Amino acid sequence: MEKTDILSLSLEEIEKVLVANGEKKFRAKQVFQWLHVKRVFDFDKMTDISVQLRGRLKEIFCINGLFVQKKLESHMDNTVKYLYGLSDGNFVETVLMEYNYGHSICVSTQVGCKMGCRFCASAIAGYVRSLEPSEILMQIYETEKNSGVKVSGIVLMGIGEPLDNYDNVVKFLKLLSDKNGNNMSLRHVSLSTCGIVPRIYDLAELRLGLTLSVSLHSADNIRRSEIMPVNRTYNIEKLLEACRYYIDRTGRRITFEYAVIDGVNSSEADADKLASLLRGMNCHVNLIPVNKVKERNYHTARSGVVEFAKLLDKCGINATVRRTLGSDIEAACGQLRRDAAEQNRNEKGGADR
Ligand code: SAH
C-alpha cells in the first residue's frame, strides 16, 4: 500500500484516516502539532504517542521531506538561496530575504513552469510537475530550521505558476494558516500570478486575505503576448476585469508587477498606456529592474526603472521600485534549478528531455 503524505493533509483529513484505521480521533491533533508546531518530522520522536501507535503511523503515513542540495549566501545583503532536492530527484529553489522589518521567503510552487514568459529563467528550464502542499510548506519549515530565522512574510514568487497548481496551493495556504498548526496570518502572504483569469475568480471567492500580485509587464496586448504567451488566452481586458472583481469581492488592493525592460516596455507611451489602464483602481505598481538571464539579452539600468517610475508619477500613478536582492548569487527564480537540470542532463548524456 502506498503511504499517505501526512504533511499535505489537513487536521480533519488526518482524523479521518486515523478513525478509519481504528485509532482515536484526538490523536490526530497531537500528531498535527508535532509536525506543524514542534516541527518534528520523525514519528519515533513523537514522545507522547505510544510506541504502538507510532508504529501504525509509520505504516500508514510518510513524511515528505526535502534536503538542502545547495545553499548560496549573498555577501551583499544577507539573501540566502536554497536549492532543495525533492524525494523524486527534482529540485526547486527558495530564497530567504532580509528586510528592515523582518525576513521574507520566496517559495516555488512547481518544478519548472509551463507559462513560457520570455524573460524568465524558469521557463527556459521547462516544466516537470506541480508541487504537493507538503513540498511548498517544507520549503518554509526547512529554511527556518536551516537558517534559525522565523519568517514574517511569504511570497509565492519562486519557480512555477501558483494558479496553475491551484488546489495544492490553496491547500498549502490552509495548512500554513491553520490555528492548530503553524497559525500564520495570510495577510503576510503574497501570491503572484501571470494572469490565469478563471483561477483569479475562484481565489476571490475564498477571500483568504492574502495579497494578489499580478505580473503585468506591459499594458499593450501585442507586446504582452510576445513576452507572456498567457496573454494570448487571457488578454489584458479579461485580466483587468478579473482583477476588478477580485478587489470588489475581497476589499484588498492588488499589486501589479512590472519588470522594466529597455526597448520593450519602458517608453513614455508605455507609461501613458499603463496609467490609463490602472487609473482609479485600488492597486499598486511594483517596478522591477529585469534580471539578466543568460539565454536572453533583456536588460535595464536601474536609472531606467527610476525614470519609468517618474513617468508614471506624472500620470498620477504611484509606483515603487523593488530592491534588487542577492544579485551576486543569481537570486532570480529559476536560475539555479536550470543549472542543476542542465548538469543532470549532461551527466546522463542528455537522456532526459
Ligand atoms: N508565475 C508567477 C510567479 C513566479 S515569477 C508569476 O508570473 O507571477 C515571480 C515574478 O518575477 C513575476 O512577476 C515574474 O514576471 C518576475 N520575473 C520573472 N523573470 C524575471 C526577470 N528575469 N526579471 C525580472 N522579473 C522577472
Side-chain angles (χ1 to χ4, degrees):
M1 190 185 78
E2 204 174 313
K3 295 185 186 182
T4 307
D5 167 20
I6 194 168
L7 276 167
S8 287
L9 298 188
S10 65
L11 176 55
E12 294 68 31
E13 287 169 330
I14 300 176
E15 281 172 358
K16 272 197 198 131
V17 178
L18 286 188
V19 170
N21 279 276
E23 301 295 338
K24 299 248 168 15
K25 186 175 158 188
F26 79 92
R27 293 289 179 199
K29 197 162 170 178
Q30 272 177 305
V31 178
F32 195 77
Q33 290 181 336
W34 275 110
L35 296 169
H36 297 278
V37 181
K38 298 183 195 138
R39 309 270 175 92
V40 168
F41 306 118
D42 178 352
F43 291 120
D44 284 327
K45 296 200 174 126
M46 301 183 179
T47 46
D48 60 0
I49 291 171
S50 72
V51 174
Q52 195 195 0
L53 179 55
R54 284 185 234 162
R56 284 293 288 142
L57 292 172
K58 280 191 275 182
E59 280 166 21
I60 306 168
F61 298 112
C62 62
I63 297 177
N64 200 3
L66 31 79
F67 62 91
V68 180
Q69 170 76 13
K70 209 171 194 179
K71 177 178 178 183
L72 297 178
E73 291 169 85
S74 166
H75 302 296
M76 295 159 73
D77 51 38
N78 295 332
T79 299
V80 185
K81 183 164 189 169
Y82 293 92
L83 181 69
Y84 282 120
L86 307 174
S87 53
D88 65 353
N90 280 301
F91 299 105
V92 288
E93 293 172 25
T94 307
V95 184
L96 179 67
M97 296 160 289
E98 189 179 66
Y99 292 95
N100 42 21
Y101 53 82
H103 284 83
S104 180
I105 190 171
C106 176
V107 298
S108 296
T109 54
Q110 295 181 310
V111 180
C113 188
K114 295 177 203 159
M115 298 299 132
C117 298
R118 288 288 299 163
F119 44 81
C120 181
S122 302
I124 294 161
Y127 172 79
V128 179
R129 68 170 175 88
S130 277
L131 294 185
E132 296 298 323
S134 58
E135 292 171 322
I136 310 175
L137 199 60
M138 279 302 265
Q139 292 173 60
I140 300 163
Y141 291 179
E142 201 51 57
T143 302
E144 288 195 329
K145 187 168 139 211
N146 185 284
S147 63
V149 154
K150 177 94 190 129
V151 303
S152 50
I154 297 173
V155 296
L156 274 63
M157 284 194 188
I159 299 171
E161 167 49 47
L163 297 189
D164 185 46
N165 184 19
Y166 183 82
D167 291 344
N168 286 350
V169 165
V170 168
K171 219 161 172 204
F172 151 76
L173 293 168
K174 290 192 170 155
L175 283 169
L176 185 73
S177 56
D178 193 303
K179 295 263 179 307
N180 288 300
N182 186 62
N183 194 19
M184 180 174 202
S185 161
L186 296 182
R187 301 242 155 211
H188 305 299
V189 176
S190 289
L191 183 153
S192 181
T193 179
C194 62
I196 313 244
V197 164
R199 298 291 88 75
I200 295 178
Y201 286 104
D202 291 344
L203 195 65
E205 297 312 326
L206 299 182
R207 304 173 76 176
L208 294 174
L210 49 75
T211 298
L212 182 65
S213 288
V214 173
S215 302
L216 191 58
H217 304 318
S218 174
D220 177 84
N221 272 317
I222 295 176
R223 191 35 66 86
R224 190 165 189 269
S225 292
E226 273 165 23
I227 56 174
M228 300 181 72
V230 68
N231 197 69
R232 297 173 204 157
T233 311
Y234 307 113
N235 68 17
I236 294 175
E237 289 68 36
K238 287 183 190 151
L239 176 57
L240 270 275
E241 206 176 300
C243 290
R244 284 197 193 88
Y245 182 83
Y246 187 91
I247 295 166
D248 278 354
R249 191 83 184 99
T250 63
R252 306 274 301 163
R253 185 173 83 154
I254 283 186
T255 298
F256 287 102
E257 306 287 336
Y258 196 101
V260 182
I261 313 172
D262 277 354
V264 173
N265 61 5
S266 60
S267 71
E268 197 165 345
D270 291 317
D272 279 346
K273 211 159 184 182
L274 181 61
S276 14
L277 201 63
L278 303 184
R279 197 162 285 126
M281 231 174 141
N282 183 14
C283 69
H284 173 80
V285 177
N286 196 12
L287 300 175
I288 323 164
V290 72
N291 275 305
K292 276 215 182 83
V293 174
K294 70 177 182 218
E295 292 83 351
R296 306 271 184 261
N297 58 2
Y298 291 133
H299 51 85
T300 343
R302 195 169 178 82
S303 57
V305 183
V306 174
E307 224 24 68
F308 194 71
K310 282 190 196 148
L311 290 172
L312 283 178
D313 191 53
K314 263 204 261 169
C315 307
I317 298 287
N318 200 288
T320 48
V321 177
R322 193 199 286 173
R323 266 172 71 204
T324 308
L325 290 174
S327 48
D328 56 332
I329 54 164
E330 293 201 296
C333 56
Q335 306 191 17
L336 262 191
R337 187 187 88 84
R338 176 204 56 199
D339 294 346
E342 218 166 71
Q343 200 176 333
N344 254 347
R345 260 199 305 278
N346 292 342
E347 280 162 12
K348 287 185 200 158
D352 64 342
R353 275 205 323 275

